Amino acid sequence: SLDCNEACRASKTADAFLLMVLGAITAGLLFTILQRRAEKKKKDLGTAVGDATFIVVDSKNKEQDLDELRVQLLTLTNEVESINRENESSLEEIERQQQDINDLKHQLQQLSETNS
């Protein structure tokens, strides 16, 4: 009966040891899985940060391009307004010349009537 008690104790000790080994293996596997997930999330986060940085830089470049286009548009608008003012002046000059021509025609007609 003493051998049976010792055998039972030895069996329980062996079972406890096996449970400890299995627990250690399980903990190791779980740690490895969690570590890989953490590395993947870290990599994904790095990619997301890289993408966000690219988007911010691209947005700033586009904003600068837009500012340059605004300046060009303002310059062109000023040029068009200047040309329009010149055209209005030219049109006024043409109208004055046309009036002078009409006046001369009228004078010529009067002279012609006077001579006949």
Side-chain angles (χ1 to χ4, degrees):
S1 146
L2 190 60
D3 287 337
C4 183
N5 283 338
E6 284 181 25
C8 283
R9 248 187 287 150
S11 175
K12 286 181 183 178
T13 303
D15 287 348
F17 178 75
L18 280 175
L19 283 176
M20 282 182 12
V21 168
L22 284 175
I25 290 171
T26 303
L29 288 173
L30 189 58
F31 176 77
T32 301
I33 290 169
L34 292 176
Q35 186 178 20
R36 286 188 182 160
R37 282 186 183 170
E39 287 172 1
K40 184 178 181 333
K41 287 188 182 205
K42 183 178 176 183
K43 181 182 173 188
D44 291 347
L45 181 61
T47 302
V49 167
D51 290 348
T53 302
F54 173 78
I55 289 169
V56 167
V57 169
D58 188 48
S59 175
K60 286 183 180 180
N61 289 340
K62 286 183 179 173
E63 193 174 313
Q64 287 174 344
D65 291 346
L66 189 57
D67 287 343
E68 289 173 12
L69 288 173
R70 284 186 185 123
V71 168
Q72 289 176 4
L73 179 60
L74 185 60
T75 302
L76 288 173
T77 301
N78 290 337
E79 288 177 14
V80 166
E81 288 175 356
S82 175
I83 290 170
N84 282 342
R85 283 191 298 276
E86 289 174 13
N87 285 345
E88 286 175 14
S89 294
S90 296
L91 185 60
E92 289 171 1
E93 180 62 27
I94 289 170
E95 288 173 351
R96 278 193 298 275
Q97 289 176 357
Q98 184 66 45
Q99 185 60 46
D100 290 346
I101 290 171
N102 288 338
D103 289 346
L104 287 171
K105 279 183 179 178
H106 183 69
Q107 288 175 7
L108 182 63
Q109 188 177 16
Q110 283 179 340
L111 280 173
S112 173
E113 288 173 1
T114 305
N115 285 340
S116 17

